Every structure is written in structure tokens, then in C-alpha cells.
Amino acid sequence: MGSDPQYAKWPALPLAQHVFTITNPYATRPAQQAAVKSLQDGISENKMAPLYKYLAHPTEGILNSSGETTSASAPAKPAGQKPSAAGMVASKTAGANLPWDEAVYNKLKAENDKELEEFQKEEDESVEQAGETEIMAAKGKRADFFAKIGDKDKAIAAYEDVFEKTGILGTKIDLVLAIIRMGLFYGDKALVKKHVARAKTLVDSGGDWDRRNRLKAYEGLHLLTVRSYNLAAPLLLDSLSTFTSYELCTYSNLVVYSVLAGSVSLKRVDFKSKVVDAPEIKAILGADGDDKLLALTGAISAGPGAEDAEMRDASKDTVSPTAATKATMAVNLTMLGTQTDHPEAEMAVDFSPLAQLVNSLYNGHYKLFFQALALVEEQFLTQDRYLHEHKGWFIREMRLRAYQQLLQSYRVVGLESMANDFGVTVDFLDRDLAKFIAGGRIPCTIDRVTGKGVIETNRPDDKNKQYQDVVKQGDQLITKLQKYGQAVRLRGSERA
């Protein structure tokens, strides 16, 4: 198994979701006000002076568009450029303001400086009196502190410093994962992409089972943010049975991400086995009471990942979770030891729209499917910072998937009949299908010249397509051979 994960507590990613909620036009006013309160509490509790300035400063903050302040000495906010915050906020205007208080900021900054002095003192004493292990521990504390207070640049630099001076592979992987979380916190996709690739290289060089599985969740979440749902789906679904990355997201969120990614990208056979019939997903979407709570605590685990040889060895050391009580809260418990203190209590989530989406799509109940898709957009896609950016694309692709699923079973379909099946008007279906047909996504034609309209599918001829591909590739090969022959003859004449 290797050593327990290190540097796995900070930054506090739920705070980034609160920032998103404040600027989310789809969030309710009470939700935005609650997000401001939670954000203020987090900033105060963790003494996050750099993050407070980044968000609420009258001239530099990304949230306080009105320049609201409770300090008379604070300067008025001139018009000017704001720091890039595309990855953190949902819109340019905040639904609720985070007030700026110069006195509060100065107090937080003074406390930060005091703690940094203590870390420096500890490091100096370690250099003089202790060994390399104590020095690295002191440097690690300072790096974690920068991540805790939300100072992105200094945290990454400190983690890199520790990375360069440590030789333990597990610790190196943990440091890179901490940098990935800093990138996720601030929505820096380029940074996350770079360090996910870096972490994969380290894991492939001999990473232990636990870190290899944690990286699956990290990579899957990153791929979700860049709209690579087809690549994210297998990673996220595989993480369900072995999930321990509670510093990244809650188990409920992982279920949502897995189901959505699988629904939009998997073929029907895989969709059936990995989503519709998956034990972990059925325990969440199709069960109540004890089964659902057991799934949230990680007690229900099945599929290929659960039968991994290393998992069987590690399971000897795991502790069975205690029975959960029926309540509106579910506590995440890890099956494997982690360094995080205690996973946070997880609010109950209404998964019924998600369950209806999955079942209606697979069973071909398209009217219910469209209704569920609207509810999923309202309750999940518009409210989550990782899903919000691509919600329009997701809705469009899910409609396309339903259209394709119905049309592939028929040669000719009446437009009115299909509209009734989906619970939409004929004009809407005509316009929606026309976009996909024009883009080459659905091989069919619509005839509305006579009668009420008919959709005729043009099934692709696989044999003809293969023949055309062979001819095309053969032409390319002949061209390359001709160029190669000319180059050989030219060199031969030069030798003569």
C-alpha cells in the first residue's frame, strides 16, 4: 500500500464552490447569501488573507464589483482590469457581495506573518540541530500553510521546493496532487493538465495502489472540466468502488459526475453494464435508507476495481464502516486509511432526476427523458462549478443521443409521432433535428412537403465506406511511394 497520503487537506475546495455560487445567476438568493456566509467563515477560520484580497479587494477583487466596503479608509474603486477569474466565477456579476474590511484584512495578514515567522524559526532550528527529515517536515508545513490561506503562487513554489528535495516517490506524487488541487481551486486548466500528466508519469514509475486510484479521480475530474467526457467516464466510473479522494469532492458528487459522463459518452452496452446496472450507482440512484447510506460510506463496492489483486491484499487491513443512522446527513468514511482528519458531513442529495434520466434513456421513455433532462440541468448542471461551463453542450449531446437511439430502430418515422414520443412540438423537433442533420450527426432527411412530415433514415453502408477508405488510403500510399522513389533515384544520380 505504501505510506499514507500527505498534503491532502488543503486547499479547501468547497470554498471555490461557494465563490462560484455567489456569481451563479442560476443560484437562488438564499443560496448565494449562505455561500457568502460560508466563505466568510472559511476565510476567518483559516486566516485566508490572500484569498480575501483576491476576492473582495475594492480595486483588485474579482467579486466586489460594486466596490462595497465597510472601511472608511478604503479607496474608491476605479474602472480597470480585474485579475483573470474565468475558472472560479460563473459570471462577471455577483449575486451577493463579499464586503471588504481593511481592518479584517490587516488582522488576517498579521496573523499570517506571525505563523510564517514561526515556520521559518522551526526550519532554521531544524537546519542547525536536526536532520533532513525535520527540515523537509518544516518546509512541508509552510507549503501547506500557503495552500491553506489560498496563496496560489507561493503554495505551488513551496510544494515544488519540497518536491525537488525529497526522494520518496509517494511524497512526490502527493505534492503533485496538491498542486493539481490548487489549479482546480482557481480553475487553472493549463496548470492542472500539466501536473496530471506529471503525476501519471510518477505513478507509472512505481506508485502504490492507493495513489494510483486517487489519480484516477483527479484525472477524471480534470477531463470533465475540459469537456472530454468520453475519457472521463471510465476513470470516474472505475473510481466509484475504490474512492478515497475526499479532499477532491464528496462521494455524492463523484456519483453525479460518473453518471453524467457515462450517460453522454458510453455505448449502449457499456451504459447498461457500467451505469444502469452498476451496484454502486444503483445503491445511490435506486435505493433508499441503509443501502444508500452504505454506498455513501463506501461499504458497497463491486466491479473490476474491487477485485484487483492489490485491493484484496489491502482489504485485510481495512475497517468495516459502522452502521449509519437514517438521517438527512451522511458521513463519508474511507475504507483505506488517509491522513485527512474526518471527512465532512455530506448533505443529502435528491438523485431522483438523475435516476429518471438514466432509466428513461435506456428504456426508451423519451418524454420522461426530456423532463428528467430539464431537472438535471436545473439541479446539477447549473449549480456545479465543474459542470456549469459545458451545460449547453451536454444538453445538446443528450438530446442527440436520444434522437439517434430512436431513429436507428426505424427506416421511416412520422415527424408528429416522434414529437409526441418526446413530448415536444413538431416545429421544435423539426428545427432541432435540422441542426444535427446539417452537421452530419444524424443520417436522415425530413420531408414536410406532403402530409404531416416524415423522417427517413439513411443508414450508412459499412461495406461501401470500407471500400472508400481502402481506395483513399491506397492513393495516399502510392503517392508516398512515388515521392520515396524519386528521392532514391535522385540520390543515386548524385553518387554517379
Side-chain angles (χ1 to χ4, degrees):
M1 278 301 299
S3 60
D4 288 341
Q6 304 176 61
Y7 311 106
K9 189 174 182 179
W10 309 108
L13 288 176
L15 294 181
Q17 176 64 36
H18 294 322
V19 175
F20 170 84
T21 301
I22 292 171
T23 60
N24 183 10
Y26 296 96
T28 61
R29 185 68 177 177
Q32 291 180 329
Q33 293 173 343
V36 170
K37 178 66 167 58
S38 298
L39 188 59
Q40 288 175 322
D41 292 343
I43 289 173
S44 176
E45 180 181 353
N46 298 322
K47 304 177 178 62
M48 306 177 75
L51 181 65
Y52 184 43
K53 180 178 180 180
Y54 179 75
L55 296 176
H57 192 273
T59 58
E60 301 175 14
I62 64 172
L63 290 184
N64 216 358
S65 58
S66 64
E68 181 180 345
T69 176
T70 59
S71 174
S73 61
K77 182 171 186 172
Q81 294 290 330
K82 285 187 176 185
S84 175
M88 288 195 78
V89 299
S91 64
K92 294 181 179 180
T93 57
N97 284 323
L98 180 66
W100 171 260
D101 190 321
E102 193 77 24
V104 171
Y105 172 73
N106 290 333
K107 178 184 176 182
L108 295 175
K109 191 173 184 305
E111 292 176 343
N112 290 167
D113 293 339
K114 181 179 179 181
E115 288 196 53
L116 285 172
E117 289 177 3
E118 293 176 357
F119 290 136
Q120 186 61 49
K121 181 180 179 181
E122 181 181 350
E123 185 177 342
D124 293 341
E125 291 177 352
S126 299
V127 171
E128 295 176 1
Q129 304 174 7
E132 194 67 26
T133 303
E134 288 74 14
I135 296 174
M136 294 306 300
K139 288 181 177 292
K141 287 181 181 180
R142 180 160 54 186
D144 261 348
F145 175 75
F146 283 131
K148 176 183 176 181
I149 64 176
D151 195 326
K152 176 186 173 184
D153 294 335
K154 290 183 179 179
I156 293 174
Y159 281 133
E160 291 287 4
D161 183 44
V162 178
F163 183 93
E164 292 299 326
K165 291 180 172 59
T166 186
I168 304 173
L169 179 60
T171 303
K172 285 179 176 285
I173 296 172
D174 292 338
L175 288 165
V176 176
L177 294 181
I179 295 175
I180 292 173
R181 291 198 306 278
M182 288 301 301
L184 288 172
F185 187 94
Y186 283 95
D188 191 338
K189 296 175 183 176
L191 177 72
V192 173
K193 179 181 179 181
K194 173 184 175 182
H195 286 87
V196 164
R198 187 181 181 190
K200 289 175 68 176
T201 302
L202 291 170
V203 166
D204 290 341
S205 67
D208 60 67
W209 179 90
D210 182 47
R211 290 178 174 87
R212 189 179 298 272
N213 280 281
R214 289 174 62 213
L215 179 59
K216 287 181 183 179
Y218 279 73
E219 184 180 6
L221 188 56
H222 162 64
L223 291 171
L224 209 64
T225 64
V226 296
R227 202 193 286 180
S228 295
Y229 279 58
N230 59 323
L231 299 177
L235 293 171
L236 294 172
L237 288 166
D238 197 30
S239 299
L240 286 172
S241 59
T242 56
F243 183 67
T244 59
S245 303
Y246 293 101
E247 74 280 0
L248 188 65
C249 65
T250 65
Y251 191 79
S252 294
N253 284 340
L254 181 71
V255 171
V256 173
Y257 301 149
S258 302
V259 170
L260 294 178
S263 299
V264 78
S265 64
L266 294 180
K267 294 182 179 180
R268 183 172 173 83
V269 175
D270 294 332
F271 178 59
K272 169 70 170 174
S273 61
K274 297 182 179 180
V275 178
V276 178
D277 289 340
E280 298 86 4
I281 293 176
K282 288 180 70 175
I284 296 292
L285 302 188
D288 293 312
D290 293 339
D291 285 343
K292 183 173 291 188
L293 292 174
L294 285 173
L296 287 171
T297 59
I300 295 180
S301 144
E307 296 300 322
D308 188 274
E310 293 181 81
M311 179 62 182
R312 288 197 296 269
D313 294 338
S315 64
K316 298 176 182 178
D317 300 325
T318 59
V319 179
S320 299
T322 57
T325 57
K326 293 182 179 180
T328 58
M329 303 288 287
V331 181
N332 287 323
L333 302 176
T334 57
M335 295 179 65
L336 303 172
T338 66
Q339 191 174 335
T340 53
D341 296 333
H342 294 285
E344 292 186 0
E346 186 175 329
M347 292 298 296
V349 179
D350 179 15
F351 291 103
S352 56
L354 212 55
Q356 183 178 332
L357 181 79
V358 170
N359 294 323
S360 59
L361 176 62
Y362 183 76
N363 295 319
H365 301 151
Y366 299 112
K367 185 179 294 187
L368 291 176
F369 169 76
F370 264 32
Q371 295 172 359
L373 189 60
L375 291 175
V376 167
E377 179 183 14
E378 178 184 346
Q379 296 183 25
F380 296 101
L381 300 181
T382 60
Q383 305 301 322
D384 188 279
R385 62 187 295 251
Y386 300 124
L387 303 173
H388 176 272
E389 184 178 358
H390 306 299
K391 66 181 186 300
W393 172 87
F394 180 86
I395 296 296
R396 185 169 60 253
E397 290 297 311
M398 290 299 289
R399 294 203 313 269
L400 171 63
R401 176 158 193 165
Y403 296 150
Q404 290 174 332
Q405 182 172 290
L406 184 143
L407 291 172
Q408 72 181 0
S409 303
Y410 301 96
R411 180 73 178 178
V412 177
V413 182
L415 191 61
E416 184 176 2
S417 173
M418 185 172 174
N420 290 334
D421 285 344
F422 281 89
V424 297
T425 64
V426 172
D427 289 337
F428 172 84
L429 183 62
D430 187 9
R431 290 193 305 269
D432 209 27
L433 285 175
K435 298 174 187 176
F436 295 122
I437 295 171
R441 307 294 300 279
I442 300 180
C444 69
T445 57
I446 300 177
D447 180 8
R448 295 195 69 182
V449 177
T450 58
K452 297 182 179 180
V454 172
I455 304 170
E456 184 175 353
T457 59
N458 303 319
R459 306 192 180 217
D461 187 345
D462 291 337
K463 289 186 178 180
N464 187 50
K465 184 178 183 300
Q466 290 173 0
Y467 173 76
Q468 295 295 336
D469 290 341
V470 169
V471 172
K472 182 178 179 181
Q473 293 170 5
D475 289 341
Q476 293 174 347
L477 178 60
I478 291 173
T479 301
K480 291 180 180 179
L481 288 173
Q482 289 173 343
K483 291 181 179 179
Y484 176 73
Q486 292 173 358
V488 170
R489 285 196 297 272
L490 179 59
R491 287 197 293 271
S493 63
E494 289 175 350
R495 287 198 300 270

